[in-house]
């Protein structure tokens, strides 16, 4: 990363282009995401925390902050709110008293199940916007360039957690005759948690 | 877009993946962007408005809202603030009394010039994160898949304005011996503006 093999001009145009592109993409994503979760009285960070806690099964607050790309204090405060609403529980492990772990409660699981089953009740503009590529290439785009930039910015463990979350989503999600059902992910926690 | 040639399961995993990827990318972009503009006491929307007004030379408030992916009221309120700080002026055209146009003032131009010249004073993590691709392929990534999704979501005129802005950035931006200088874009306004 030391050899500068680009001009200042191209680097500036490239980064500003990426910035504005990313803003446009995120604003579309944000709108879809908000419309989906609106009936459940959650904001995006709260939903993201539940999602991570559910799919990682025994994440720490700092795992959540890292993977959810939010400040540790944000992750903690919203997790507290979710705990107060009965969707999340905090616990410590006997062999690791320093970290605070979170786990989705039965009630939280019920909520996520319902949200998954109603996923297509709201409109997903980014899905519509991706269908022309799907129709041409036979599969949804993989955004390998974006993923590469994210890997370089956030590091390998971010990607590992990212993939683990989506593996779990795939495993918990069932579809039969166009209806969605979910089965909870296996509890992968080491023993010792204070349930 | 009518034929449903995908399963609900893959559509759900795809869209949630895109959502979380987009959040991670945007958070990295946002941080870089904020660090760059911080010394100038601007927020991202304010800077984006100045950028659009400067490079489109005679944009309406609704052009700014559309291209800046913000609410019309947000575009208007922040433009008002920029006007109060002397960076932007509002005007009407004789042949179009309905729309409000904005133009960057000399002071605003001076600000943008300074910001461009100091662009690399702050750190751009997304630039570092893109260099491995640049080193392998010999050019920065083009994110064609993302651009295609954005084109489908926001429409052809969004893309046209997007490209026009970056064409202008390229034209106004000069580099000699690693130093950046800028020359203002040509005024493309039709006659009749109230300067």
């Amino acid at each position: 990363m030391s050899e500068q093999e680009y001009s200042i001009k191209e680097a500036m145009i490239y980064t500003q282009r990426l910035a504005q592109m990313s803003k446009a993409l995120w604003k579309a994503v944000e709108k879809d995401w908000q419309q989906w979760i609106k009936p459940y009285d959650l904001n995006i960070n709260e939903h993201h925390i539940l999602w991570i806690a559910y799919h990682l099964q025994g994440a720490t607050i700092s795992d959540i902050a890292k993977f959810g790309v939010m400040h540790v204090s944000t992750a903690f405060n919203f997790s507290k709110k979710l705990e107060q609403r009965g969707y999340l529980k905090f616990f410590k492990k006997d062999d690791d008293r320093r970290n605070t772990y979170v786990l989705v409660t039965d009630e939280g699981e019920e909520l996520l199940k319902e949200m998954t089953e109603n996923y297509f009740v709201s409109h997903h503009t980014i899905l519509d916007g991706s269908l022309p590529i799907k129709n041409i290439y036979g599969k949804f785009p993989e955004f390998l360039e974006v993923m590469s930039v994210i890997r370089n910015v956030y590091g390998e463990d971010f990607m590992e957690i990212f993939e683990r979350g989506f593996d779990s989503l795939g495993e918990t999600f069932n579809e039969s005759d166009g209806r969605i059902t979910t089965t909870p992910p296996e509890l992968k926690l080491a023993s010792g948690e204070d349930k």
Side-chain angles (χ1 to χ4, degrees), chain A residues 99-118:
Chain A
N99 286 308
T100 302
Y101 290 77
V102 291
L103 210 52
V104 170
T105 61
D106 290 346
E107 214 178 321
E109 205 172 297
E110 205 44 53
L111 178 75
L112 286 171
K113 198 175 142 86
E114 194 187 328
M115 291 179 73
T116 301
E117 289 168 10
N118 293 320

PDB file of all heavy atoms in Angstrom, chain A residues 99-118:
ATOM      1  N   ASN A  99     -16.411  -9.889  29.704  1.00  0.00           N
ATOM      2  CA  ASN A  99     -17.311  -9.537  28.606  1.00  0.00           C
ATOM      3  C   ASN A  99     -18.779  -9.747  28.949  1.00  0.00           C
ATOM      4  O   ASN A  99     -19.124 -10.657  29.702  1.00  0.00           O
ATOM      5  CB  ASN A  99     -16.968 -10.369  27.368  1.00  0.00           C
ATOM      6  CG  ASN A  99     -15.693  -9.884  26.711  1.00  0.00           C
ATOM      7  OD1 ASN A  99     -15.567  -8.707  26.420  1.00  0.00           O
ATOM      8  ND2 ASN A  99     -14.738 -10.790  26.523  1.00  0.00           N
ATOM      9  N   THR A 100     -19.614  -8.907  28.373  1.00  0.00           N
ATOM     10  CA  THR A 100     -21.057  -9.071  28.493  1.00  0.00           C
ATOM     11  C   THR A 100     -21.574  -9.685  27.200  1.00  0.00           C
ATOM     12  O   THR A 100     -21.319  -9.168  26.110  1.00  0.00           O
ATOM     13  CB  THR A 100     -21.735  -7.701  28.698  1.00  0.00           C
ATOM     14  OG1 THR A 100     -21.177  -7.099  29.860  1.00  0.00           O
ATOM     15  CG2 THR A 100     -23.234  -7.859  28.887  1.00  0.00           C
ATOM     16  N   TYR A 101     -22.274 -10.816  27.370  1.00  0.00           N
ATOM     17  CA  TYR A 101     -22.840 -11.494  26.201  1.00  0.00           C
ATOM     18  C   TYR A 101     -24.326 -11.196  26.114  1.00  0.00           C
ATOM     19  O   TYR A 101     -24.963 -10.893  27.117  1.00  0.00           O
ATOM     20  CB  TYR A 101     -22.644 -13.007  26.340  1.00  0.00           C
ATOM     21  CG  TYR A 101     -21.195 -13.429  26.199  1.00  0.00           C
ATOM     22  CD1 TYR A 101     -20.287 -13.255  27.245  1.00  0.00           C
ATOM     23  CD2 TYR A 101     -20.742 -14.001  25.017  1.00  0.00           C
ATOM     24  CE1 TYR A 101     -18.960 -13.631  27.111  1.00  0.00           C
ATOM     25  CE2 TYR A 101     -19.413 -14.386  24.882  1.00  0.00           C
ATOM     26  CZ  TYR A 101     -18.528 -14.195  25.930  1.00  0.00           C
ATOM     27  OH  TYR A 101     -17.227 -14.570  25.778  1.00  0.00           O
ATOM     28  N   VAL A 102     -24.850 -11.290  24.909  1.00  0.00           N
ATOM     29  CA  VAL A 102     -26.300 -11.133  24.749  1.00  0.00           C
ATOM     30  C   VAL A 102     -26.877 -12.318  23.995  1.00  0.00           C
ATOM     31  O   VAL A 102     -26.201 -12.945  23.176  1.00  0.00           O
ATOM     32  CB  VAL A 102     -26.671  -9.832  23.998  1.00  0.00           C
ATOM     33  CG1 VAL A 102     -26.363  -8.600  24.821  1.00  0.00           C
ATOM     34  CG2 VAL A 102     -25.998  -9.773  22.641  1.00  0.00           C
ATOM     35  N   LEU A 103     -28.120 -12.598  24.314  1.00  0.00           N
ATOM     36  CA  LEU A 103     -28.820 -13.694  23.658  1.00  0.00           C
ATOM     37  C   LEU A 103     -30.268 -13.257  23.461  1.00  0.00           C
ATOM     38  O   LEU A 103     -30.833 -12.565  24.310  1.00  0.00           O
ATOM     39  CB  LEU A 103     -28.747 -14.935  24.558  1.00  0.00           C
ATOM     40  CG  LEU A 103     -28.758 -16.314  23.914  1.00  0.00           C
ATOM     41  CD1 LEU A 103     -27.711 -16.465  22.826  1.00  0.00           C
ATOM     42  CD2 LEU A 103     -28.542 -17.377  24.991  1.00  0.00           C
ATOM     43  N   VAL A 104     -30.830 -13.637  22.340  1.00  0.00           N
ATOM     44  CA  VAL A 104     -32.222 -13.302  22.058  1.00  0.00           C
ATOM     45  C   VAL A 104     -33.123 -14.181  22.924  1.00  0.00           C
ATOM     46  O   VAL A 104     -32.891 -15.383  23.045  1.00  0.00           O
ATOM     47  CB  VAL A 104     -32.503 -13.513  20.549  1.00  0.00           C
ATOM     48  CG1 VAL A 104     -33.976 -13.410  20.232  1.00  0.00           C
ATOM     49  CG2 VAL A 104     -31.706 -12.513  19.723  1.00  0.00           C
ATOM     50  N   THR A 105     -34.118 -13.601  23.555  1.00  0.00           N
ATOM     51  CA  THR A 105     -35.065 -14.368  24.380  1.00  0.00           C
ATOM     52  C   THR A 105     -36.078 -15.080  23.479  1.00  0.00           C
ATOM     53  O   THR A 105     -36.115 -14.850  22.276  1.00  0.00           O
ATOM     54  CB  THR A 105     -35.852 -13.420  25.297  1.00  0.00           C
ATOM     55  OG1 THR A 105     -36.590 -12.515  24.459  1.00  0.00           O
ATOM     56  CG2 THR A 105     -34.947 -12.638  26.225  1.00  0.00           C
ATOM     57  N   ASP A 106     -36.916 -15.909  24.095  1.00  0.00           N
ATOM     58  CA  ASP A 106     -37.972 -16.565  23.317  1.00  0.00           C
ATOM     59  C   ASP A 106     -38.873 -15.534  22.652  1.00  0.00           C
ATOM     60  O   ASP A 106     -39.295 -15.690  21.509  1.00  0.00           O
ATOM     61  CB  ASP A 106     -38.819 -17.465  24.228  1.00  0.00           C
ATOM     62  CG  ASP A 106     -38.027 -18.683  24.696  1.00  0.00           C
ATOM     63  OD1 ASP A 106     -36.949 -18.964  24.108  1.00  0.00           O
ATOM     64  OD2 ASP A 106     -38.456 -19.344  25.650  1.00  0.00           O
ATOM     65  N   GLU A 107     -39.130 -14.466  23.408  1.00  0.00           N
ATOM     66  CA  GLU A 107     -39.982 -13.407  22.870  1.00  0.00           C
ATOM     67  C   GLU A 107     -39.304 -12.712  21.671  1.00  0.00           C
ATOM     68  O   GLU A 107     -39.955 -12.395  20.667  1.00  0.00           O
ATOM     69  CB  GLU A 107     -40.226 -12.369  23.970  1.00  0.00           C
ATOM     70  CG  GLU A 107     -41.582 -11.709  23.928  1.00  0.00           C
ATOM     71  CD  GLU A 107     -41.744 -10.722  25.090  1.00  0.00           C
ATOM     72  OE1 GLU A 107     -41.266 -11.044  26.214  1.00  0.00           O
ATOM     73  OE2 GLU A 107     -42.289  -9.626  24.871  1.00  0.00           O
ATOM     74  N   GLY A 108     -37.997 -12.494  21.795  1.00  0.00           N
ATOM     75  CA  GLY A 108     -37.234 -11.887  20.701  1.00  0.00           C
ATOM     76  C   GLY A 108     -37.223 -12.799  19.481  1.00  0.00           C
ATOM     77  O   GLY A 108     -37.330 -12.346  18.340  1.00  0.00           O
ATOM     78  N   GLU A 109     -37.102 -14.101  19.761  1.00  0.00           N
ATOM     79  CA  GLU A 109     -37.103 -15.075  18.677  1.00  0.00           C
ATOM     80  C   GLU A 109     -38.449 -15.070  17.950  1.00  0.00           C
ATOM     81  O   GLU A 109     -38.497 -15.146  16.723  1.00  0.00           O
ATOM     82  CB  GLU A 109     -36.848 -16.452  19.288  1.00  0.00           C
ATOM     83  CG  GLU A 109     -36.251 -17.418  18.317  1.00  0.00           C
ATOM     84  CD  GLU A 109     -35.832 -18.696  19.027  1.00  0.00           C
ATOM     85  OE1 GLU A 109     -34.945 -18.615  19.908  1.00  0.00           O
ATOM     86  OE2 GLU A 109     -36.411 -19.751  18.722  1.00  0.00           O
ATOM     87  N   GLU A 110     -39.506 -14.959  18.734  1.00  0.00           N
ATOM     88  CA  GLU A 110     -40.855 -14.906  18.178  1.00  0.00           C
ATOM     89  C   GLU A 110     -40.994 -13.682  17.266  1.00  0.00           C
ATOM     90  O   GLU A 110     -41.548 -13.756  16.168  1.00  0.00           O
ATOM     91  CB  GLU A 110     -41.866 -14.837  19.339  1.00  0.00           C
ATOM     92  CG  GLU A 110     -43.246 -15.351  19.043  1.00  0.00           C
ATOM     93  CD  GLU A 110     -43.263 -16.669  18.280  1.00  0.00           C
ATOM     94  OE1 GLU A 110     -42.614 -17.672  18.704  1.00  0.00           O
ATOM     95  OE2 GLU A 110     -43.912 -16.687  17.215  1.00  0.00           O
ATOM     96  N   LEU A 111     -40.450 -12.573  17.736  1.00  0.00           N
ATOM     97  CA  LEU A 111     -40.492 -11.334  16.946  1.00  0.00           C
ATOM     98  C   LEU A 111     -39.742 -11.499  15.621  1.00  0.00           C
ATOM     99  O   LEU A 111     -40.254 -11.162  14.548  1.00  0.00           O
ATOM    100  CB  LEU A 111     -39.856 -10.185  17.746  1.00  0.00           C
ATOM    101  CG  LEU A 111     -39.781  -8.841  17.033  1.00  0.00           C
ATOM    102  CD1 LEU A 111     -41.137  -8.160  16.980  1.00  0.00           C
ATOM    103  CD2 LEU A 111     -38.761  -7.913  17.705  1.00  0.00           C
ATOM    104  N   LEU A 112     -38.543 -12.045  15.694  1.00  0.00           N
ATOM    105  CA  LEU A 112     -37.731 -12.209  14.470  1.00  0.00           C
ATOM    106  C   LEU A 112     -38.405 -13.167  13.487  1.00  0.00           C
ATOM    107  O   LEU A 112     -38.351 -12.963  12.271  1.00  0.00           O
ATOM    108  CB  LEU A 112     -36.334 -12.714  14.832  1.00  0.00           C
ATOM    109  CG  LEU A 112     -35.417 -11.666  15.469  1.00  0.00           C
ATOM    110  CD1 LEU A 112     -34.142 -12.305  15.999  1.00  0.00           C
ATOM    111  CD2 LEU A 112     -35.067 -10.557  14.468  1.00  0.00           C
ATOM    112  N   LYS A 113     -39.017 -14.196  14.039  1.00  0.00           N
ATOM    113  CA  LYS A 113     -39.748 -15.174  13.226  1.00  0.00           C
ATOM    114  C   LYS A 113     -40.876 -14.478  12.452  1.00  0.00           C
ATOM    115  O   LYS A 113     -41.021 -14.647  11.248  1.00  0.00           O
ATOM    116  CB  LYS A 113     -40.332 -16.202  14.195  1.00  0.00           C
ATOM    117  CG  LYS A 113     -40.773 -17.515  13.611  1.00  0.00           C
ATOM    118  CD  LYS A 113     -41.198 -18.415  14.800  1.00  0.00           C
ATOM    119  CE  LYS A 113     -42.405 -19.257  14.447  1.00  0.00           C
ATOM    120  NZ  LYS A 113     -42.019 -20.512  13.783  1.00  0.00           N
ATOM    121  N   GLU A 114     -41.611 -13.673  13.188  1.00  0.00           N
ATOM    122  CA  GLU A 114     -42.729 -12.957  12.582  1.00  0.00           C
ATOM    123  C   GLU A 114     -42.220 -11.983  11.507  1.00  0.00           C
ATOM    124  O   GLU A 114     -42.806 -11.863  10.425  1.00  0.00           O
ATOM    125  CB  GLU A 114     -43.465 -12.181  13.680  1.00  0.00           C
ATOM    126  CG  GLU A 114     -44.825 -11.678  13.254  1.00  0.00           C
ATOM    127  CD  GLU A 114     -45.447 -10.770  14.332  1.00  0.00           C
ATOM    128  OE1 GLU A 114     -45.182 -11.005  15.543  1.00  0.00           O
ATOM    129  OE2 GLU A 114     -46.179  -9.834  13.953  1.00  0.00           O
ATOM    130  N   MET A 115     -41.117 -11.315  11.806  1.00  0.00           N
ATOM    131  CA  MET A 115     -40.565 -10.359  10.852  1.00  0.00           C
ATOM    132  C   MET A 115     -40.093 -11.062   9.582  1.00  0.00           C
ATOM    133  O   MET A 115     -40.242 -10.537   8.478  1.00  0.00           O
ATOM    134  CB  MET A 115     -39.391  -9.599  11.489  1.00  0.00           C
ATOM    135  CG  MET A 115     -39.833  -8.652  12.581  1.00  0.00           C
ATOM    136  SD  MET A 115     -38.433  -7.792  13.340  1.00  0.00           S
ATOM    137  CE  MET A 115     -38.024  -6.648  12.008  1.00  0.00           C
ATOM    138  N   THR A 116     -39.502 -12.226   9.750  1.00  0.00           N
ATOM    139  CA  THR A 116     -39.044 -12.986   8.587  1.00  0.00           C
ATOM    140  C   THR A 116     -40.231 -13.436   7.745  1.00  0.00           C
ATOM    141  O   THR A 116     -40.221 -13.313   6.525  1.00  0.00           O
ATOM    142  CB  THR A 116     -38.224 -14.214   9.037  1.00  0.00           C
ATOM    143  OG1 THR A 116     -37.119 -13.754   9.800  1.00  0.00           O
ATOM    144  CG2 THR A 116     -37.730 -15.026   7.864  1.00  0.00           C
ATOM    145  N   GLU A 117     -41.251 -13.919   8.440  1.00  0.00           N
ATOM    146  CA  GLU A 117     -42.419 -14.414   7.708  1.00  0.00           C
ATOM    147  C   GLU A 117     -43.137 -13.287   6.953  1.00  0.00           C
ATOM    148  O   GLU A 117     -43.773 -13.541   5.939  1.00  0.00           O
ATOM    149  CB  GLU A 117     -43.357 -15.167   8.663  1.00  0.00           C
ATOM    150  CG  GLU A 117     -42.726 -16.506   9.083  1.00  0.00           C
ATOM    151  CD  GLU A 117     -43.432 -17.209  10.242  1.00  0.00           C
ATOM    152  OE1 GLU A 117     -44.538 -16.778  10.627  1.00  0.00           O
ATOM    153  OE2 GLU A 117     -42.854 -18.188  10.754  1.00  0.00           O
ATOM    154  N   ASN A 118     -43.011 -12.075   7.458  1.00  0.00           N
ATOM    155  CA  ASN A 118     -43.653 -10.930   6.791  1.00  0.00           C
ATOM    156  C   ASN A 118     -42.688 -10.088   5.957  1.00  0.00           C
ATOM    157  O   ASN A 118     -43.004  -8.960   5.603  1.00  0.00           O
ATOM    158  CB  ASN A 118     -44.326 -10.040   7.839  1.00  0.00           C
ATOM    159  CG  ASN A 118     -45.498 -10.743   8.486  1.00  0.00           C
ATOM    160  OD1 ASN A 118     -46.264 -11.434   7.812  1.00  0.00           O
ATOM    161  ND2 ASN A 118     -45.643 -10.600   9.796  1.00  0.00           N
TER     162      ASN A 118
END
